[in-house]
Amino acid sequence: MTDNNKSTSSQVEIDEGLYSRQLYVLGVDAMKKMSASNVLIIGLRGLGCEIAKNVILAGVKSVTLYDPAPVELRDLSSQFFLHEEDVGKRRDEVTAPRLAELNQYVPTSVFGGSLTPADLKAFSCVVVTEMPLLQQLEFSEAAHANGIYYISTELRGLFGYAFNDFGENFVVVDPTGEEPLSGMVASIEKSAEGVVTCLDETRHGLEDGQFVTFTEVQGMGELNGCEPRQVKVLGPYTFSIGDTTVFGDYVRGGLFQQVKQPVTVNFTSLKDALENPEFLVSDFAKFDRPAQYHVGFQALHAFAAANGGKLPRPGNDADAAEVLRLANGINDKWSQKTELDAELLKKLSYQAQGDLSPMVAVFGGLVAQEVLKACTGKFSPIKNFMYFDSLESLPVGFEPSEEDLAPIGSRYDGQIAVFGRKFHEKITNFREFLVGSGAIGCEMLKNWAMMGLATGPQGVIHITDMDTIEKSNLNRQFLFRPGDVGKLKSETASAAVVAMNPELKGKIQTHQDRVGAETEAVYNDSFFEGIDGVTNALDNVEARQYMDRRCVFYRKPLLESGTLGTKGNTQVVVPFLTESYSASRDPPEKSIPMCTLKNFPNAIEHTIQWARDLFAGLFAQPAENVNAFLSTPNYIDQIETLTSIRNFLVDDKPLTFDDCVAWGRRRFEEHYNNAILQLLYNFPKDSVTSSGQLFWSPPKRAPDAIAFDASNDPAHREHIKAVATAVSIPPFAPKSGVKIQVNENDDSGSGDADASQLDELINSMPDPSSFAGVRLSPADFEKDDDSNFHIDFITAASNLRATNYGITPADRFRTKQIAGKIIPAIATTTALVTGLVCLELYKLIGSSSGDKKRSIEDYKNGFVNLALPFFGFSEPIAPEKRKYNDTEFSDWDMFDFDHDITLQELVDYFRNEHNLGVNMISSGVSMLYSPFLNRKKAAERMPMRMSEIVTSITKKEIPEHVKWIVLVVCCDDDDDEDVDVPEVRIKIRT
């Protein structure tokens, strides 16, 4: 098993339209290895089906399923591709055709007959989910001996584990999946240490032990393309690379590039790992638990072996006592004996028959990613056990009885075995709003359907998503099929989960409205009063922050999550208990300075953004300007815009295909020759700054003009070449007085020309009436339609500019990601993250019992990176507290009035109840009351109701759907000091 690259096939064609988002996670090489890998999945209850779903979506060569057991009704607790009419049929035969629909490129079949260890030789990777431990040991030994990657995983209620054995000398070609680091060099010492100093614009980001090589170093040229040299970090901008005394003297310039090194990992078989395990810690607050669960899961297998394959009964104390006895016996014989918590093992025994969709999602995503690691060597695998629990998800004050946990012969028996019938009833009557039904939304709805969320008399699920389904969605939004492309996501997703659980029929209300101020008549006071919580499945921060503000206003809990490739995060927002989503913000994305884009690019990202702007400047904005000119009487704009309009309508309007070629040829000359020559005329390559330093010093790169070469065309378009070559191009003549922006704060010199020049241009504009009925069609950038050539244009334009500046060009695939701002995505991370969110949803539903309330310590914000793999959980942050007088408050607090009070009543309330004087009241941008108000107006307003004042000041009626008006009140205390107080909320309608 030393060569995990053995399955590479360079002939494999990858459907970029389907896999585009995943390709940015895994890369082409890994995808090709996957497409030559055959995977066997044993056991097709919920966990096996979830793993199979994610592996099939990812695109391996084939998936073979094995589970000859008959379908039981309780399987429907988490197995989303089973229906009640399947009960009694063979699990694998029923499930296989439904899984096969997920990806036409992955043949999905059933293993016929009885599976033996000898049969494993036909597969690259084997995943075991439903198998007695003794049989697992046999299969593990056979896999280890035959170079087959072996994974086993098991779930028992809120407990689970995964185990890997990828054999000896398993090569991890890319341990992290992060882009190799690179940077610009300021100097390199000629010394025994070889200290490299980087430009102080950006930290190098390297770590001790990593390797780098160099390009474009002047003077110490031996480093260019050198064998990777190991790094020792000296500071954020310096690192050493070892002895450079035998090299030439460093002069200037240079780029360093990290070179990733493969890592070899040795695994042991399951038999050896049981005795000498290594644990990946999934929650550092539970550091002592993995060893206990290692013993506990073995005890469950021992119990089942002694009881005809039956697991301990839910809530049965006698069975729990037997499990504890078996655990103590196993622990006593273990060379790494650990201290056992009897209460913890009792809960494990109680939940042994539990089957929860959120746990299935967590481990289904996790294990599927391990399968992909085995097939590709991409990312670091788990070595060798990972145990996980979410006991905090149990309801507050939960004291289960055997009667409450006993099966009732329903599809939810797997959930009832953990939470009991009473709590299950709460789940069915919950009312949730799902904002977005894309990747996260699809997974969320699947989990909710299995949980029975909102299936009760009072339950309801609202979904909104204005988008339609695209082909690129199918790789990770598994509720959609090729035939659904073009349909509305919310309606299609709803229909799909109703098919999974018919009890949801009539319980899902779909919307196609974007959440925002413009739809507050739809998602109004009554709407929010009718729900229990909100789950965001959004892909932009603006919408997330808007929903967060609405949740704070209506005091509704919010579940937030997001993914970026193999990384995922979850956040739970609980009224009064945690801070809101908007309370903590990421720093704004760093923008590229305009002077860098226009004149001084030094990275391919700069040239791609320049090309993206060029696309808009050639094919979108001018057409919009022309349409505005033709439809707006007495249209006036800046000289540059007017010149563009005249060119498009009169002076430079192509009428034939050959004219279009000539137009393109002139644009080439303008951007890749003339503009560069003008720049070098202003700043020759040997020019120096006022301090005596070379002007073209890093990070600036001195450009070279490109001479047009018609033969530089791999597509051999002879007619276009001939026309382009025949175009007459006047020789370049530099212009004096041209001002070029060198620094971001410099005046760009692009101000309007004098009035006479503008008047002359306006008088020369064509008469709009001569173009009656004419309108141009702006080419709005669309990255996912290959037939429109948008990405092809941007790739070519960017790479030509990169050639100007000596920057390494990027291929079309990389250009598409940067220009289209594509977020890398993969189904495995999405599945895991939504599972974690639903574990928090359990906590919200069971957040109180009588006088008992769930504490902030029970909730978990999570961050995961499946590539490493890494799991980090933390308590949410409590809301920031502020004070007036001796009263503390947070963003969750408001002064609530249940009727439409008068201004006088409001002022009196603050004075009498809080000893505060009111000096200003506003509603939105309207000032309702202030010290500057003359006495007569103030006296007139005092007896008026606040809604009347709002209406009279704004001169707008308050919409019928609005039940509450919100006021910002400024107060001062007895010392005339300004005091910050919560907002005021006044109910004006019932």
Side-chain angles (χ1 to χ4, degrees):
M1 203 181 293
T2 58
D3 182 12
N4 47 293
N5 301 320
K6 60 181 180 286
S7 60
T8 301
S9 171
S10 60
Q11 303 304 312
V12 175
E13 289 293 327
I14 297 171
D15 186 340
E16 188 182 320
L18 177 66
Y19 292 118
S20 63
R21 300 329 187 243
Q22 180 178 292
L23 275 164
Y24 293 117
V25 181
L26 298 176
V28 173
D29 289 344
M31 286 289 295
K32 287 181 176 178
K33 291 176 188 176
M34 281 164 44
S35 59
S37 301
N38 300 304
V39 178
L40 170 66
I41 297 175
I42 302 170
L44 284 167
R45 283 197 165 108
L47 181 54
C49 184
E50 179 72 31
I51 296 167
K53 178 206 80 178
N54 294 326
V55 170
I56 290 168
L57 288 172
V60 295
K61 182 178 181 180
S62 73
V63 170
T64 303
L65 309 172
Y66 180 73
D67 189 342
V71 174
E72 302 173 47
L73 186 59
R74 64 186 294 273
D75 295 342
L76 276 64
S77 291
S78 63
Q79 220 281 36
F80 44 87
F81 280 151
L82 294 179
H83 309 304
E84 289 192 19
E85 57 267 28
D86 299 325
V87 172
K89 299 176 184 176
R90 185 168 156 152
R91 274 198 206 106
D92 49 13
E93 291 182 350
V94 170
T95 307
R98 295 163 189 169
L99 283 168
E101 292 177 355
L102 294 171
N103 193 337
Q104 62 176 329
Y105 297 110
V106 181
T108 303
S109 60
V110 171
F111 186 92
S114 180
L115 185 70
T116 67
D119 295 317
L120 302 186
K121 294 178 182 178
F123 303 99
S124 314
C125 180
V126 176
V127 183
V128 175
T129 66
E130 300 283 340
M131 188 179 283
L133 182 57
L134 289 177
Q135 196 177 354
Q136 283 188 45
L137 289 166
E138 291 178 26
F139 276 70
S140 169
E141 290 298 315
H144 192 84
N146 288 283
I148 299 160
Y149 310 124
Y150 175 89
I151 302 172
S152 60
T153 181
E154 193 174 339
L155 293 178
R156 301 295 167 205
L158 290 165
F159 302 84
Y161 81 84
F163 166 78
N164 284 345
D165 171 17
F166 295 171
E168 298 172 4
N169 300 316
F170 179 80
V171 179
V172 181
V173 295
D174 182 357
T176 67
E178 299 293 332
E179 284 287 326
L181 298 166
S182 62
M184 304 186 81
V185 174
S187 67
I188 304 175
E189 282 184 7
K190 187 173 182 178
S191 65
E193 266 199 305
V195 176
V196 179
T197 302
C198 301
L199 290 181
D200 59 5
E201 290 191 340
T202 309
R203 295 167 180 257
H204 56 66
L206 294 166
E207 298 177 6
D208 284 344
Q210 292 179 334
F211 288 78
V212 296
T213 189
F214 296 86
T215 57
E216 301 183 25
V217 175
Q218 296 181 38
M220 202 176 280
E222 296 90 342
L223 288 176
N224 292 327
C226 67
E227 286 296 311
R229 297 177 71 96
Q230 194 167 16
V231 165
K232 180 182 177 183
V233 174
L234 303 176
Y237 304 100
T238 56
F239 58 89
S240 67
I241 56 172
D243 191 2
T244 57
T245 57
V246 296
F247 299 156
D249 293 333
Y250 176 81
V251 176
R252 72 171 66 88
L255 303 171
F256 78 81
Q257 179 84 21
Q258 181 190 2
V259 180
K260 292 199 170 186
Q261 301 293 301
V263 176
T264 300
V265 184
N266 290 306
F267 290 83
T268 57
S269 68
L270 178 59
K271 177 183 176 182
D272 294 336
L274 284 173
E275 184 62 30
N276 296 293
E278 295 183 45
F279 299 127
L280 173 70
V281 178
S282 61
D283 188 341
F284 289 95
K286 304 174 181 179
F287 198 82
D288 59 331
R289 294 190 184 180
Q292 295 186 68
Y293 294 154
H294 191 66
V295 173
F297 272 90
Q298 292 181 68
L300 289 181
H301 278 282
F303 182 98
N307 290 274
K310 293 184 178 179
L311 289 161
R313 289 164 290 182
N316 186 277
D317 289 329
D319 288 356
E322 176 61 11
V323 169
L324 180 59
R325 187 189 69 79
L326 292 167
N328 283 323
I330 294 167
N331 193 39
D332 289 341
K333 296 176 183 177
W334 188 24
S335 61
Q336 301 182 37
K337 183 176 180 179
T338 189
E339 184 177 341
L340 298 179
D341 181 337
E343 193 61 32
L344 202 60
L345 293 181
K346 179 181 178 181
K347 290 178 180 176
L348 177 61
S349 177
Y350 272 20
Q351 297 185 24
Q353 293 190 30
D355 185 11
L356 301 173
S357 181
M359 288 292 290
V360 162
V362 170
F363 275 81
L366 172 72
V367 172
Q369 190 67 56
E370 297 304 302
V371 172
L372 305 187
K373 293 176 186 178
C375 296
T376 65
K378 179 92 172 184
F379 310 139
S380 300
I382 294 170
K383 188 188 177 195
N384 40 28
F385 281 99
M386 192 197 88
Y387 290 93
F388 173 85
D389 79 67
S390 183
L391 290 176
E392 303 86 0
S393 294
L394 291 171
V396 170
F398 187 56
E399 296 178 1
S401 67
E402 188 171 359
E403 180 186 3
D404 192 38
L405 299 174
I408 60 173
S410 85
R411 64 178 294 145
Y412 307 113
D413 280 353
Q415 182 167 264
I416 290 171
V418 177
F419 292 103
R421 293 196 301 274
K422 294 174 185 174
F423 184 68
H424 173 70
E425 187 177 336
K426 279 189 173 183
I427 295 172
T428 65
N429 285 299
F430 207 69
R431 301 165 298 175
E432 191 75 357
F433 181 26
L434 177 65
V435 188
S437 54
I440 288 176
C442 282
E443 294 287 340
M444 204 73 70
L445 286 169
K446 175 259 295 177
N447 292 341
W448 293 355
M450 297 300 97
M451 293 163 60
L453 187 85
T455 56
Q458 306 302 318
V460 67
I461 294 172
H462 293 273
I463 313 169
T464 188
D465 196 315
M466 61 182 295
D467 287 344
T468 55
I469 299 162
E470 300 175 358
K471 182 180 179 181
S472 63
N473 301 149
L474 304 179
N475 173 240
R476 64 202 184 282
Q477 300 178 19
F478 89 106
L479 295 180
F480 308 140
R481 301 290 179 269
D484 296 325
V485 171
K487 296 180 182 177
L488 287 164
K489 285 186 177 181
S490 59
E491 292 181 357
T492 308
S494 171
V497 293
V498 168
M500 289 178 176
N501 185 354
E503 292 182 22
L504 278 171
K505 188 172 183 180
K507 309 303 293 186
I508 301 178
Q509 297 187 19
T510 60
H511 308 260
Q512 294 81 46
D513 306 291
R514 184 196 304 274
V515 291
E518 68 275 14
T519 56
E520 288 182 4
V522 178
Y523 310 116
N524 54 26
D525 295 338
S526 297
F527 175 86
F528 276 93
E529 288 169 3
I531 61 173
D532 296 313
V534 174
T535 299
N536 275 349
L538 292 161
D539 60 2
N540 70 89
V541 172
E542 182 182 358
R544 285 180 166 123
Q545 290 177 341
Y546 173 80
M547 285 310 301
D548 178 62
R549 292 194 296 273
R550 300 297 276 173
C551 287
V552 170
F553 180 78
Y554 293 107
R555 293 160 180 166
K556 301 294 180 180
L558 171 67
L559 292 167
E560 176 59 64
S561 60
T563 68
L564 178 65
T566 59
K567 299 171 186 152
N569 68 280
T570 64
Q571 181 179 352
V572 57
V573 176
V574 185
F576 302 103
L577 196 64
T578 74
E579 69 175 9
S580 66
Y581 170 80
S582 304
S584 300
R585 299 186 184 181
D586 293 331
E589 186 177 332
K590 192 174 181 181
S591 60
I592 304 170
M594 189 57 65
C595 59
T596 301
L597 277 180
K598 291 180 103 175
N599 299 305
F600 308 112
N602 57 66
I604 194 65
E605 289 80 5
H606 301 160
T607 67
I608 291 172
Q609 183 59 53
W610 177 88
R612 176 76 177 78
D613 294 343
L614 179 65
F615 177 91
L618 291 176
F619 306 120
Q621 191 60 53
E624 293 172 1
N625 293 339
V626 166
N627 292 342
F629 169 75
L630 295 177
S631 60
T632 306
N634 303 316
Y635 180 91
I636 296 178
D637 209 315
Q638 296 180 352
I639 281 184
E640 185 179 350
T641 302
L642 292 174
T643 302
S644 169
I645 292 170
R646 190 175 65 184
N647 285 340
F648 264 65
L649 290 175
V650 181
D651 296 346
D652 197 12
K653 181 176 68 172
L655 298 175
T656 66
F657 178 77
D658 287 2
D659 288 347
C660 291
V661 174
W663 180 89
R665 173 67 183 87
R666 290 192 292 272
R667 299 293 81 73
F668 179 99
E669 201 71 15
E670 175 187 346
H671 295 295
Y672 304 110
N673 186 68
N674 294 356
I676 300 300
L677 292 175
Q678 181 66 53
L679 181 62
L680 291 173
Y681 173 79
N682 281 51
F683 304 107
K685 289 189 177 183
D686 58 357
S687 59
V688 295
T689 66
S690 58
S691 63
Q693 182 184 4
L694 276 173
F695 178 83
W696 293 105
S697 295
K700 294 186 180 73
R701 302 172 69 94
D704 291 296
I706 302 175
F708 180 76
D709 180 6
S711 65
N712 186 0
D713 175 25
H716 304 295
R717 289 163 284 210
E718 300 303 328
H719 177 73
I720 294 176
K721 291 181 189 178
V723 174
T725 302
V727 174
S728 176
I729 301 294
F732 171 74
K735 299 175 184 177
S736 58
V738 173
K739 187 169 184 180
I740 293 176
Q741 188 178 6
V742 176
N743 298 305
E744 184 68 0
N745 296 325
D746 290 351
D747 180 4
S748 65
S750 58
D752 288 342
D754 56 48
S756 62
Q757 186 180 355
L758 181 60
D759 289 342
E760 182 181 342
L761 184 58
I762 291 172
N763 293 330
S764 71
M765 295 296 288
D767 183 0
S769 64
S770 62
F771 294 91
V774 173
R775 291 295 182 272
L776 301 188
S777 298
D780 294 323
F781 175 63
E782 172 48 58
K783 61 185 178 294
D784 287 319
D785 180 3
D786 289 346
S787 67
N788 64 21
F789 298 102
H790 292 184
I791 293 297
D792 300 273
F793 172 86
I794 290 171
T795 302
S798 167
N799 286 341
L800 283 168
R801 188 162 176 84
T803 302
N804 279 137
Y805 285 87
I807 298 168
T808 303
D811 61 15
R812 185 184 188 280
F813 180 68
R814 174 73 172 145
T815 302
K816 179 178 178 179
Q817 181 187 14
I818 297 171
K821 297 182 179 178
I822 293 175
I823 299 173
I826 189 167
T828 51
T829 313
T830 306
L832 186 147
V833 162
T834 53
L836 293 177
V837 170
C838 290
L839 291 174
E840 297 304 307
L841 179 59
Y842 279 138
K843 299 175 187 179
L844 291 173
I845 297 172
S847 61
S848 64
S849 176
D851 294 334
K852 294 181 179 179
K853 301 283 185 184
R854 193 178 290 282
S855 67
I856 195 170
E857 291 82 5
D858 288 341
Y859 294 102
K860 300 287 184 184
N861 289 344
F863 175 79
V864 300
N865 187 342
L866 290 181
L868 300 180
F870 171 81
F871 291 77
F873 296 98
S874 63
E875 294 173 15
I877 299 172
E880 180 188 357
K881 297 287 187 180
R882 303 189 292 281
K883 246 182 161 183
Y884 63 90
N885 295 335
D886 294 324
T887 303
E888 281 192 335
F889 70 97
S890 73
D891 288 340
W892 293 102
D893 291 291
M894 293 185 185
F895 292 110
D896 280 340
F897 295 90
D898 61 5
H899 65 282
D900 194 0
I901 61 173
T902 66
L903 174 58
Q904 186 67 61
E905 288 173 325
L906 183 60
V907 171
D908 291 346
Y909 169 81
F910 276 97
R911 171 54 64 193
N912 299 333
E913 299 297 325
H914 300 283
N915 200 31
L916 295 173
V918 174
N919 56 43
M920 196 174 296
I921 302 173
S922 61
S923 173
V925 297
S926 301
M927 187 68 65
L928 309 183
Y929 175 78
S930 77
F932 312 110
L933 201 64
N934 67 54
R935 288 186 178 183
K936 183 180 178 183
K937 283 189 175 180
E940 288 174 353
R941 291 180 188 176
M942 280 297 176
M944 293 175 66
R945 304 213 172 270
M946 294 309 303
S947 63
E948 295 172 340
I949 298 175
V950 170
T951 302
S952 66
I953 299 299
T954 63
K955 295 184 170 47
K956 291 180 183 177
E957 291 296 321
I958 299 172
E960 285 297 318
H961 64 269
V962 175
K963 293 184 178 182
W964 299 84
I965 57 173
V966 180
L967 308 177
V968 175
V969 178
C970 298
C971 295
D972 51 36
D973 59 19
D974 289 339
D975 297 324
D976 285 334
E977 294 290 332
D978 289 340
V979 177
D980 191 14
V981 297
E983 291 181 331
V984 171
R985 194 168 68 157
I986 299 173
K987 193 166 190 178
I988 60 171
R989 295 188 181 97
T990 56

